[in-house]
mmCIF file of all heavy atoms in Angstrom:
data_model
loop_
_atom_site.group_PDB
_atom_site.id
_atom_site.type_symbol
_atom_site.label_atom_id
_atom_site.label_comp_id
_atom_site.label_asym_id
_atom_site.label_seq_id
_atom_site.Cartn_x
_atom_site.Cartn_y
_atom_site.Cartn_z
ATOM 1 N N ALA A 70 2.829 2.119 -2.886
ATOM 2 C CA ALA A 70 3.962 2.355 -3.783
ATOM 3 C C ALA A 70 4.596 1.036 -4.212
ATOM 4 O O ALA A 70 4.456 0.037 -3.470
ATOM 5 C CB ALA A 70 4.985 3.235 -3.048
ATOM 6 N N GLU A 71 5.266 1.066 -5.343
ATOM 7 C CA GLU A 71 5.927 -0.097 -5.778
ATOM 8 C C GLU A 71 6.922 -0.599 -4.791
ATOM 9 O O GLU A 71 7.719 0.179 -4.236
ATOM 10 C CB GLU A 71 6.657 0.176 -7.076
ATOM 11 C CG GLU A 71 5.689 0.208 -8.394
ATOM 12 C CD GLU A 71 6.410 0.187 -9.668
ATOM 13 O OE1 GLU A 71 7.318 1.098 -9.800
ATOM 14 O OE2 GLU A 71 6.235 -0.651 -10.470
ATOM 15 N N GLY A 72 6.864 -1.919 -4.415
ATOM 16 C CA GLY A 72 7.794 -2.403 -3.488
ATOM 17 C C GLY A 72 7.293 -2.484 -2.111
ATOM 18 O O GLY A 72 7.769 -3.219 -1.258
ATOM 19 N N GLU A 73 6.104 -1.875 -1.878
ATOM 20 C CA GLU A 73 5.527 -1.899 -0.537
ATOM 21 C C GLU A 73 4.612 -3.129 -0.492
ATOM 22 O O GLU A 73 3.851 -3.421 -1.376
ATOM 23 C CB GLU A 73 4.630 -0.671 -0.334
ATOM 24 C CG GLU A 73 3.857 -0.706 0.951
ATOM 25 C CD GLU A 73 3.020 0.600 1.115
ATOM 26 O OE1 GLU A 73 3.098 1.449 0.212
ATOM 27 O OE2 GLU A 73 2.206 0.637 2.108
ATOM 28 N N ALA A 74 4.721 -3.898 0.638
ATOM 29 C CA ALA A 74 3.975 -5.154 0.728
ATOM 30 C C ALA A 74 2.442 -4.766 0.803
ATOM 31 O O ALA A 74 2.077 -4.040 1.700
ATOM 32 C CB ALA A 74 4.429 -5.951 1.940
ATOM 33 N N HIS A 75 1.672 -5.339 -0.007
ATOM 34 C CA HIS A 75 0.259 -5.118 0.026
ATOM 35 C C HIS A 75 -0.418 -6.281 -0.713
ATOM 36 O O HIS A 75 -0.126 -6.544 -1.895
ATOM 37 C CB HIS A 75 -0.172 -3.762 -0.598
ATOM 38 C CG HIS A 75 -1.615 -3.419 -0.419
ATOM 39 N ND1 HIS A 75 -2.019 -2.884 0.719
ATOM 40 C CD2 HIS A 75 -2.668 -3.658 -1.230
ATOM 41 C CE1 HIS A 75 -3.406 -2.687 0.642
ATOM 42 N NE2 HIS A 75 -3.803 -3.166 -0.483
ATOM 43 N N ARG A 76 -1.285 -7.029 -0.074
ATOM 44 C CA ARG A 76 -1.833 -8.249 -0.580
ATOM 45 C C ARG A 76 -3.324 -8.046 -0.915
ATOM 46 O O ARG A 76 -4.084 -7.649 -0.015
ATOM 47 C CB ARG A 76 -1.616 -9.319 0.281
ATOM 48 C CG ARG A 76 -0.161 -9.651 0.647
ATOM 49 C CD ARG A 76 0.059 -10.398 1.945
ATOM 50 N NE ARG A 76 -0.433 -9.593 3.039
ATOM 51 C CZ ARG A 76 -0.381 -9.966 4.360
ATOM 52 N NH1 ARG A 76 0.136 -11.161 4.656
ATOM 53 N NH2 ARG A 76 -0.819 -9.151 5.277
ATOM 54 N N VAL A 77 -3.734 -8.482 -2.155
ATOM 55 C CA VAL A 77 -5.154 -8.276 -2.621
ATOM 56 C C VAL A 77 -5.663 -9.625 -3.185
ATOM 57 O O VAL A 77 -4.929 -10.203 -4.007
ATOM 58 C CB VAL A 77 -5.226 -7.179 -3.658
ATOM 59 C CG1 VAL A 77 -6.654 -6.970 -4.158
ATOM 60 C CG2 VAL A 77 -4.567 -5.915 -3.157
ATOM 61 N N LEU A 78 -6.811 -10.037 -2.806
ATOM 62 C CA LEU A 78 -7.415 -11.257 -3.288
ATOM 63 C C LEU A 78 -8.618 -10.804 -4.065
ATOM 64 O O LEU A 78 -9.496 -10.027 -3.556
ATOM 65 C CB LEU A 78 -7.774 -12.156 -2.208
ATOM 66 C CG LEU A 78 -8.612 -13.393 -2.612
ATOM 67 C CD1 LEU A 78 -7.816 -14.344 -3.568
ATOM 68 C CD2 LEU A 78 -9.086 -14.225 -1.493
ATOM 69 N N VAL A 79 -8.787 -11.268 -5.304
ATOM 70 C CA VAL A 79 -9.914 -11.054 -6.173
ATOM 71 C C VAL A 79 -10.604 -12.270 -6.550
ATOM 72 O O VAL A 79 -10.145 -13.191 -7.105
ATOM 73 C CB VAL A 79 -9.532 -10.323 -7.471
ATOM 74 C CG1 VAL A 79 -10.699 -9.977 -8.363
ATOM 75 C CG2 VAL A 79 -8.717 -9.030 -7.260
ATOM 76 N N LEU A 80 -11.870 -12.416 -6.009
ATOM 77 C CA LEU A 80 -12.755 -13.540 -6.095
ATOM 78 C C LEU A 80 -13.809 -13.344 -7.169
ATOM 79 O O LEU A 80 -14.259 -12.192 -7.373
ATOM 80 C CB LEU A 80 -13.307 -14.016 -4.762
ATOM 81 C CG LEU A 80 -12.369 -14.432 -3.680
ATOM 82 C CD1 LEU A 80 -13.086 -14.452 -2.332
ATOM 83 C CD2 LEU A 80 -11.782 -15.726 -3.961
ATOM 84 N N GLY A 81 -14.344 -14.466 -7.755
ATOM 85 C CA GLY A 81 -15.582 -14.352 -8.632
ATOM 86 C C GLY A 81 -15.676 -15.697 -9.344
ATOM 87 O O GLY A 81 -14.830 -16.511 -9.401
ATOM 88 N N GLY A 82 -16.815 -15.932 -9.821
ATOM 89 C CA GLY A 82 -17.194 -17.107 -10.570
ATOM 90 C C GLY A 82 -16.673 -17.036 -12.060
ATOM 91 O O GLY A 82 -16.058 -16.097 -12.349
ATOM 92 N N ALA A 83 -17.019 -18.005 -12.784
ATOM 93 C CA ALA A 83 -16.607 -18.079 -14.168
ATOM 94 C C ALA A 83 -17.164 -16.923 -14.881
ATOM 95 O O ALA A 83 -18.462 -16.615 -14.774
ATOM 96 C CB ALA A 83 -17.017 -19.396 -14.760
ATOM 97 N N ARG A 84 -16.492 -16.203 -15.670
ATOM 98 C CA ARG A 84 -16.891 -15.132 -16.579
ATOM 99 C C ARG A 84 -17.526 -13.960 -15.670
ATOM 100 O O ARG A 84 -18.378 -13.223 -16.135
ATOM 101 C CB ARG A 84 -17.957 -15.514 -17.567
ATOM 102 C CG ARG A 84 -17.512 -16.810 -18.345
ATOM 103 C CD ARG A 84 -16.239 -16.650 -19.114
ATOM 104 N NE ARG A 84 -16.339 -15.656 -20.102
ATOM 105 C CZ ARG A 84 -15.191 -15.191 -20.886
ATOM 106 N NH1 ARG A 84 -14.041 -15.767 -20.526
ATOM 107 N NH2 ARG A 84 -15.318 -14.280 -21.753
ATOM 108 N N SER A 85 -17.000 -13.801 -14.564
ATOM 109 C CA SER A 85 -17.479 -12.768 -13.558
ATOM 110 C C SER A 85 -16.795 -11.419 -13.778
ATOM 111 O O SER A 85 -17.303 -10.416 -13.197
ATOM 112 C CB SER A 85 -17.368 -13.275 -12.123
ATOM 113 O OG SER A 85 -15.946 -13.352 -11.811
ATOM 114 N N GLY A 86 -15.730 -11.429 -14.483
ATOM 115 C CA GLY A 86 -14.864 -10.201 -14.603
ATOM 116 C C GLY A 86 -13.802 -10.111 -13.628
ATOM 117 O O GLY A 86 -13.118 -9.080 -13.507
ATOM 118 N N LYS A 87 -13.444 -11.168 -12.896
ATOM 119 C CA LYS A 87 -12.354 -11.132 -11.878
ATOM 120 C C LYS A 87 -11.055 -10.909 -12.442
ATOM 121 O O LYS A 87 -10.199 -10.122 -11.870
ATOM 122 C CB LYS A 87 -12.498 -12.411 -11.078
ATOM 123 C CG LYS A 87 -12.156 -13.699 -11.798
ATOM 124 C CD LYS A 87 -12.385 -14.923 -10.914
ATOM 125 C CE LYS A 87 -12.030 -16.240 -11.664
ATOM 126 N NZ LYS A 87 -12.944 -16.449 -12.740
ATOM 127 N N SER A 88 -10.729 -11.495 -13.636
ATOM 128 C CA SER A 88 -9.403 -11.259 -14.215
ATOM 129 C C SER A 88 -9.213 -9.717 -14.636
ATOM 130 O O SER A 88 -8.228 -9.083 -14.495
ATOM 131 C CB SER A 88 -9.153 -12.209 -15.468
ATOM 132 O OG SER A 88 -9.145 -13.535 -14.996
ATOM 133 N N PHE A 89 -10.276 -9.269 -15.291
ATOM 134 C CA PHE A 89 -10.291 -7.864 -15.687
ATOM 135 C C PHE A 89 -10.172 -6.952 -14.537
ATOM 136 O O PHE A 89 -9.467 -5.894 -14.621
ATOM 137 C CB PHE A 89 -11.572 -7.671 -16.557
ATOM 138 C CG PHE A 89 -11.648 -6.186 -17.099
ATOM 139 C CD1 PHE A 89 -10.629 -5.589 -17.844
ATOM 140 C CD2 PHE A 89 -12.746 -5.451 -16.798
ATOM 141 C CE1 PHE A 89 -10.769 -4.360 -18.360
ATOM 142 C CE2 PHE A 89 -12.900 -4.171 -17.221
ATOM 143 C CZ PHE A 89 -11.935 -3.593 -18.030
ATOM 144 N N THR A 90 -10.852 -7.284 -13.455
ATOM 145 C CA THR A 90 -10.694 -6.401 -12.253
ATOM 146 C C THR A 90 -9.322 -6.454 -11.705
ATOM 147 O O THR A 90 -8.768 -5.362 -11.388
ATOM 148 C CB THR A 90 -11.694 -6.933 -11.217
ATOM 149 O OG1 THR A 90 -13.054 -6.762 -11.665
ATOM 150 C CG2 THR A 90 -11.604 -6.215 -9.877
ATOM 151 N N ALA A 91 -8.703 -7.596 -11.646
ATOM 152 C CA ALA A 91 -7.355 -7.731 -11.063
ATOM 153 C C ALA A 91 -6.403 -6.899 -11.894
ATOM 154 O O ALA A 91 -5.484 -6.210 -11.465
ATOM 155 C CB ALA A 91 -6.914 -9.149 -10.943
ATOM 156 N N GLU A 92 -6.496 -7.037 -13.214
ATOM 157 C CA GLU A 92 -5.618 -6.247 -14.129
ATOM 158 C C GLU A 92 -5.852 -4.776 -14.026
ATOM 159 O O GLU A 92 -4.951 -4.019 -14.100
ATOM 160 C CB GLU A 92 -5.867 -6.729 -15.577
ATOM 161 C CG GLU A 92 -5.436 -8.181 -15.849
ATOM 162 C CD GLU A 92 -5.925 -8.747 -17.108
ATOM 163 O OE1 GLU A 92 -6.579 -8.042 -17.862
ATOM 164 O OE2 GLU A 92 -5.749 -9.985 -17.390
ATOM 165 N N GLY A 93 -7.081 -4.411 -13.847
ATOM 166 C CA GLY A 93 -7.424 -2.986 -13.629
ATOM 167 C C GLY A 93 -6.842 -2.424 -12.386
ATOM 168 O O GLY A 93 -6.389 -1.258 -12.357
ATOM 169 N N LEU A 94 -6.692 -3.258 -11.314
ATOM 170 C CA LEU A 94 -6.018 -2.814 -10.080
ATOM 171 C C LEU A 94 -4.524 -2.439 -10.245
ATOM 172 O O LEU A 94 -3.884 -1.819 -9.398
ATOM 173 C CB LEU A 94 -6.188 -3.827 -9.007
ATOM 174 C CG LEU A 94 -7.582 -4.015 -8.443
ATOM 175 C CD1 LEU A 94 -7.660 -5.261 -7.493
ATOM 176 C CD2 LEU A 94 -7.969 -2.853 -7.641
ATOM 177 N N LEU A 95 -3.961 -2.988 -11.309
ATOM 178 C CA LEU A 95 -2.554 -2.736 -11.627
ATOM 179 C C LEU A 95 -2.369 -1.899 -12.949
ATOM 180 O O LEU A 95 -1.245 -1.899 -13.463
ATOM 181 C CB LEU A 95 -1.813 -4.017 -11.759
ATOM 182 C CG LEU A 95 -1.714 -4.895 -10.470
ATOM 183 C CD1 LEU A 95 -1.142 -6.268 -10.692
ATOM 184 C CD2 LEU A 95 -0.937 -4.091 -9.383
ATOM 185 N N ALA A 96 -3.402 -1.272 -13.358
ATOM 186 C CA ALA A 96 -3.366 -0.518 -14.656
ATOM 187 C C ALA A 96 -2.336 0.560 -14.651
ATOM 188 O O ALA A 96 -1.830 0.893 -15.736
ATOM 189 C CB ALA A 96 -4.747 0.016 -15.014
ATOM 190 N N GLU A 97 -2.059 1.130 -13.522
ATOM 191 C CA GLU A 97 -1.084 2.251 -13.456
ATOM 192 C C GLU A 97 0.365 1.830 -13.445
ATOM 193 O O GLU A 97 1.219 2.663 -13.521
ATOM 194 C CB GLU A 97 -1.449 3.080 -12.238
ATOM 195 C CG GLU A 97 -2.757 3.720 -12.252
ATOM 196 C CD GLU A 97 -2.968 4.668 -13.431
ATOM 197 O OE1 GLU A 97 -2.066 5.476 -13.562
ATOM 198 O OE2 GLU A 97 -3.965 4.513 -14.082
ATOM 199 N N TYR A 98 0.638 0.477 -13.334
ATOM 200 C CA TYR A 98 1.988 0.036 -13.332
ATOM 201 C C TYR A 98 2.497 -0.328 -14.742
ATOM 202 O O TYR A 98 1.841 -1.168 -15.450
ATOM 203 C CB TYR A 98 2.128 -1.203 -12.341
ATOM 204 C CG TYR A 98 1.844 -0.874 -10.977
ATOM 205 C CD1 TYR A 98 0.539 -1.015 -10.348
ATOM 206 C CD2 TYR A 98 2.930 -0.356 -10.204
ATOM 207 C CE1 TYR A 98 0.432 -0.654 -9.000
ATOM 208 C CE2 TYR A 98 2.707 -0.145 -8.810
ATOM 209 C CZ TYR A 98 1.378 -0.228 -8.297
ATOM 210 O OH TYR A 98 1.218 0.028 -6.953
ATOM 211 N N ALA A 99 3.581 0.171 -15.003
ATOM 212 C CA ALA A 99 4.164 -0.129 -16.424
ATOM 213 C C ALA A 99 4.754 -1.558 -16.376
ATOM 214 O O ALA A 99 4.825 -2.195 -17.432
ATOM 215 C CB ALA A 99 5.286 0.826 -16.751
ATOM 216 N N ARG A 100 5.285 -2.001 -15.282
ATOM 217 C CA ARG A 100 5.868 -3.271 -15.148
ATOM 218 C C ARG A 100 5.105 -4.167 -14.050
ATOM 219 O O ARG A 100 4.839 -3.660 -12.978
ATOM 220 C CB ARG A 100 7.301 -3.193 -14.719
ATOM 221 C CG ARG A 100 8.176 -2.494 -15.745
ATOM 222 C CD ARG A 100 9.636 -2.367 -15.194
ATOM 223 N NE ARG A 100 10.213 -3.673 -14.863
ATOM 224 C CZ ARG A 100 11.143 -3.916 -13.950
ATOM 225 N NH1 ARG A 100 11.533 -2.823 -13.166
ATOM 226 N NH2 ARG A 100 11.592 -5.098 -13.748
ATOM 227 N N VAL A 101 4.708 -5.376 -14.405
ATOM 228 C CA VAL A 101 4.100 -6.334 -13.516
ATOM 229 C C VAL A 101 4.584 -7.750 -13.971
ATOM 230 O O VAL A 101 4.776 -8.053 -15.108
ATOM 231 C CB VAL A 101 2.580 -6.299 -13.666
ATOM 232 C CG1 VAL A 101 1.891 -7.458 -12.975
ATOM 233 C CG2 VAL A 101 1.947 -4.912 -13.245
ATOM 234 N N GLN A 102 4.763 -8.597 -12.839
ATOM 235 C CA GLN A 102 5.029 -10.045 -13.164
ATOM 236 C C GLN A 102 3.685 -10.694 -13.157
ATOM 237 O O GLN A 102 3.026 -10.778 -12.123
ATOM 238 C CB GLN A 102 5.974 -10.548 -12.066
ATOM 239 C CG GLN A 102 7.445 -10.175 -12.337
ATOM 240 C CD GLN A 102 8.342 -10.946 -11.444
ATOM 241 O OE1 GLN A 102 7.975 -11.338 -10.301
ATOM 242 N NE2 GLN A 102 9.540 -11.212 -11.972
ATOM 243 N N TYR A 103 3.329 -11.305 -14.306
ATOM 244 C CA TYR A 103 2.099 -11.923 -14.412
ATOM 245 C C TYR A 103 2.308 -13.491 -14.323
ATOM 246 O O TYR A 103 2.877 -14.097 -15.231
ATOM 247 C CB TYR A 103 1.407 -11.502 -15.791
ATOM 248 C CG TYR A 103 -0.011 -12.034 -16.018
ATOM 249 C CD1 TYR A 103 -1.054 -11.086 -15.979
ATOM 250 C CD2 TYR A 103 -0.280 -13.355 -16.262
ATOM 251 C CE1 TYR A 103 -2.358 -11.505 -16.171
ATOM 252 C CE2 TYR A 103 -1.547 -13.757 -16.386
ATOM 253 C CZ TYR A 103 -2.600 -12.819 -16.395
ATOM 254 O OH TYR A 103 -3.901 -13.252 -16.602
ATOM 255 N N VAL A 104 1.868 -14.079 -13.221
ATOM 256 C CA VAL A 104 2.142 -15.483 -12.919
ATOM 257 C C VAL A 104 1.039 -16.315 -13.563
ATOM 258 O O VAL A 104 -0.109 -16.251 -12.980
ATOM 259 C CB VAL A 104 2.406 -15.812 -11.488
ATOM 260 C CG1 VAL A 104 2.646 -17.175 -11.273
ATOM 261 C CG2 VAL A 104 3.556 -14.941 -10.949
ATOM 262 N N ALA A 105 1.254 -16.972 -14.665
ATOM 263 C CA ALA A 105 0.204 -17.777 -15.214
ATOM 264 C C ALA A 105 0.360 -19.184 -14.741
ATOM 265 O O ALA A 105 1.356 -19.883 -15.072
ATOM 266 C CB ALA A 105 0.320 -17.707 -16.766
ATOM 267 N N THR A 106 -0.636 -19.722 -14.070
ATOM 268 C CA THR A 106 -0.569 -21.059 -13.485
ATOM 269 C C THR A 106 -1.319 -22.118 -14.279
ATOM 270 O O THR A 106 -1.344 -23.309 -13.927
ATOM 271 C CB THR A 106 -1.210 -21.058 -12.076
ATOM 272 O OG1 THR A 106 -2.524 -20.732 -12.051
ATOM 273 C CG2 THR A 106 -0.437 -20.085 -11.218
ATOM 274 N N GLY A 107 -1.989 -21.753 -15.326
ATOM 275 C CA GLY A 107 -2.772 -22.642 -16.157
ATOM 276 C C GLY A 107 -1.930 -23.531 -17.027
ATOM 277 O O GLY A 107 -0.725 -23.138 -17.289
ATOM 278 N N ALA A 108 -2.384 -24.624 -17.473
ATOM 279 C CA ALA A 108 -1.648 -25.531 -18.314
ATOM 280 C C ALA A 108 -1.444 -24.872 -19.666
ATOM 281 O O ALA A 108 -2.261 -24.118 -20.224
ATOM 282 C CB ALA A 108 -2.329 -26.882 -18.491
ATOM 283 N N VAL A 109 -0.274 -25.071 -20.249
ATOM 284 C CA VAL A 109 0.043 -24.630 -21.557
ATOM 285 C C VAL A 109 -0.864 -25.329 -22.604
ATOM 286 O O VAL A 109 -1.006 -26.535 -22.496
ATOM 287 C CB VAL A 109 1.571 -24.902 -21.894
ATOM 288 C CG1 VAL A 109 1.834 -24.346 -23.374
ATOM 289 C CG2 VAL A 109 2.424 -24.112 -21.045
ATOM 290 N N PRO A 110 -1.527 -24.629 -23.468
ATOM 291 C CA PRO A 110 -2.550 -25.295 -24.314
ATOM 292 C C PRO A 110 -1.951 -26.289 -25.297
ATOM 293 O O PRO A 110 -0.790 -25.991 -25.831
ATOM 294 C CB PRO A 110 -3.167 -24.112 -25.193
ATOM 295 C CG PRO A 110 -2.790 -22.906 -24.318
ATOM 296 C CD PRO A 110 -1.517 -23.198 -23.620
ATOM 297 N N GLU A 111 -2.554 -27.402 -25.493
ATOM 298 C CA GLU A 111 -2.093 -28.349 -26.476
ATOM 299 C C GLU A 111 -2.620 -27.868 -27.928
ATOM 300 O O GLU A 111 -3.631 -27.153 -27.968
ATOM 301 C CB GLU A 111 -2.629 -29.759 -26.106
ATOM 302 C CG GLU A 111 -2.094 -30.235 -24.803
ATOM 303 C CD GLU A 111 -2.684 -31.705 -24.545
ATOM 304 O OE1 GLU A 111 -3.451 -32.148 -25.360
ATOM 305 O OE2 GLU A 111 -2.285 -32.202 -23.534
ATOM 306 N N ALA A 112 -1.884 -28.288 -28.875
ATOM 307 C CA ALA A 112 -2.286 -27.955 -30.258
ATOM 308 C C ALA A 112 -3.654 -28.324 -30.580
ATOM 309 O O ALA A 112 -4.395 -27.600 -31.373
ATOM 310 C CB ALA A 112 -1.302 -28.540 -31.265
ATOM 311 N N SER A 113 -4.121 -29.413 -30.005
ATOM 312 C CA SER A 113 -5.582 -29.877 -30.377
ATOM 313 C C SER A 113 -6.701 -29.181 -29.702
ATOM 314 O O SER A 113 -7.759 -29.237 -30.029
ATOM 315 C CB SER A 113 -5.584 -31.422 -30.119
ATOM 316 O OG SER A 113 -5.390 -31.618 -28.692
ATOM 317 N N ASP A 114 -6.348 -28.374 -28.614
ATOM 318 C CA ASP A 114 -7.298 -27.712 -27.811
ATOM 319 C C ASP A 114 -7.412 -26.275 -28.298
ATOM 320 O O ASP A 114 -6.878 -25.319 -27.747
ATOM 321 C CB ASP A 114 -6.963 -27.805 -26.369
ATOM 322 C CG ASP A 114 -8.201 -27.405 -25.531
ATOM 323 O OD1 ASP A 114 -9.056 -26.733 -25.941
ATOM 324 O OD2 ASP A 114 -8.085 -27.804 -24.278
ATOM 325 N N VAL A 115 -8.170 -26.078 -29.421
ATOM 326 C CA VAL A 115 -8.241 -24.805 -30.051
ATOM 327 C C VAL A 115 -8.885 -23.793 -29.132
ATOM 328 O O VAL A 115 -8.464 -22.663 -29.051
ATOM 329 C CB VAL A 115 -8.939 -24.845 -31.347
ATOM 330 C CG1 VAL A 115 -9.137 -23.527 -32.081
ATOM 331 C CG2 VAL A 115 -8.238 -25.847 -32.298
#
């Protein structure tokens, strides 16, 4: 249930589908905090 402590780790190599899998695990939730840890893209890095 929302608010219940439950920890899930999703592992995979590059292009393995790990991000899609993690998002699918939360597909039933209307609200999610998505913590993006990657660097903000520079204008030159298309």
Side-chain angles (χ1 to χ4, degrees):
E71 283 190 304
E73 179 184 352
H75 189 83
R76 298 157 299 180
V77 181
L78 175 62
V79 181
L80 296 167
R84 313 304 294 173
S85 63
K87 60 185 181 297
S88 297
F89 179 56
T90 295
E92 292 165 7
L94 288 168
L95 295 172
E97 297 300 310
Y98 292 95
R100 298 175 59 211
V101 170
Q102 282 191 332
Y103 189 108
V104 180
T106 63
V109 177
E111 297 180 359
S113 60
D114 196 340
V115 178

